[in-house]
Amino acid sequence: AQSVTQPDIHITVSEGASLELRCNYSYGATPYLFWYVQSPGQGLQLLLKYFSGDTLVQGIKGFEAEFKRSQSSFNLRKPSVHWSDAAEYFCAVGSLNAGNNRKLIWGLGTSLAVNP
Amino acid sequence: DGGITQSPKYLFRKEGQNVTLSCEQNLNHDAMYWYRQDPGQGLRLIYYSQIVNDFQKGDIAEGYSVSREKKESFPLTVTSAQKNPTAFYLCASSIRLWDEQYFGPGTRLTVT
């Protein structure tokens, strides 16, 4: 069955520290992947996306993610976290091969807290 | 400014009443979606629409209904048949079905 796993429900980091949020997927076809961020009580904002090509993708707000097909992962990274990065982060995976039967599969999210 | 608007931001209803949540987009996107978000459960797909006058059930469509009479609008009705309607509802759109989605600010519905 297709699935997306974000193993960490909640992460706390200190401001200025580096960050890595994990996303693992199980998908039978060629995937495309997204990371979204959600501030409390708000909608989701796209951070970055991977469809093809360079497996290291740059996004907004200083985030980057690396697609590793061999590990079925698409981890999100930031070298230095700011207090304003505190939010919920969602990974989503879709398929390039499944036609109109494809859907986006969403992870359950990782809540990020930032200590001053 | 292009974007997606959802209104109202907060909505309160008594049990047994139907309520309609508004979603409008001026991005000229063909596809639109409704999600429900509950704490710890991520996003769950209620309904989606690929084009005008067409929509499909998502994973949790029971107790909900939608219409897509205009490209810009995709209202969601939460009926009295929905057993646990209190939640945060998110509308999204994309150029094509299942492409990168743009989200509205959400509507928090409370039913008592």
Side-chain angles (χ1 to χ4, degrees):
Chain A
Q2 300 158 351
S3 65
V4 177
T5 302
Q6 294 181 244
D8 304 303
I9 296 172
H10 186 86
I11 285 182
T12 300
V13 300
S14 297
E15 191 167 16
S18 63
L19 172 70
E20 183 170 31
L21 301 182
R22 295 181 292 165
C23 175
N24 299 105
Y25 66 90
S26 171
Y27 221 99
T30 305
Y32 57 95
L33 306 107
F34 304 97
W35 273 101
Y36 284 85
V37 62
Q38 184 182 33
S39 296
Q42 302 296 319
L44 278 70
Q45 181 184 22
L46 179 70
L47 284 175
L48 46 77
K49 60 187 176 185
Y50 172 79
F51 277 77
S52 63
D54 193 346
T55 56
L56 183 63
V57 293
Q58 302 298 318
I60 62 171
K61 305 181 187 228
F63 286 92
E64 66 176 27
E66 187 170 11
F67 172 57
K68 293 185 177 180
R69 186 185 301 274
S70 62
Q71 298 178 20
S72 297
S73 70
F74 188 56
N75 294 349
L76 182 71
R77 301 193 293 247
K78 186 169 185 177
S80 178
V81 171
H82 188 262
W83 63 266
S84 60
D85 293 324
E88 189 92 15
Y89 291 81
F90 292 94
C91 179
V93 180
S95 168
L96 288 171
N97 299 346
N100 279 348
N101 291 325
R102 65 180 176 173
K103 291 182 183 177
L104 275 184
I105 309 296
W106 292 85
L108 295 182
T110 296
S111 176
L112 174 66
V114 180
N115 285 335
Chain B
D1 266 344
I4 300 179
T5 57
Q6 292 185 244
S7 60
K9 189 160 181 64
Y10 299 95
L11 193 51
F12 299 88
R13 280 294 183 270
K14 294 289 188 187
E15 205 172 299
Q17 294 179 336
N18 292 355
V19 58
T20 297
L21 282 60
S22 167
C23 177
E24 303 277 333
Q25 55 100 357
N26 60 4
L27 299 167
N28 199 33
H29 286 174
D30 283 323
M32 297 187 74
Y33 315 80
W34 273 105
Y35 292 94
R36 171 181 172 139
Q37 191 175 28
D38 297 281
Q41 296 198 42
L43 276 71
R44 292 187 289 169
L45 183 65
I46 304 173
Y47 268 98
Y48 63 96
S49 169
Q50 185 174 3
I51 55 171
V52 175
N53 293 323
D54 176 74
F55 50 83
Q56 303 296 328
K57 292 181 180 180
D59 301 317
I60 56 163
E62 184 175 350
Y64 299 97
S65 66
V66 293
S67 63
R68 186 86 188 276
E69 297 175 1
K70 298 187 301 182
K71 187 175 186 176
E72 302 80 16
S73 178
F74 191 41
L76 173 75
T77 297
V78 185
T79 75
S80 56
Q82 168 51 233
K83 291 185 172 56
N84 187 17
T86 294
F88 189 56
Y89 290 87
L90 287 161
C91 180
S93 70
S94 62
I95 294 174
R96 288 174 300 274
L97 191 61
W98 309 127
D99 277 354
E100 166 187 339
Q101 295 181 14
Y102 295 77
F103 284 82
T107 292
R108 185 166 298 281
L109 172 66
T110 302
V111 177
T112 57

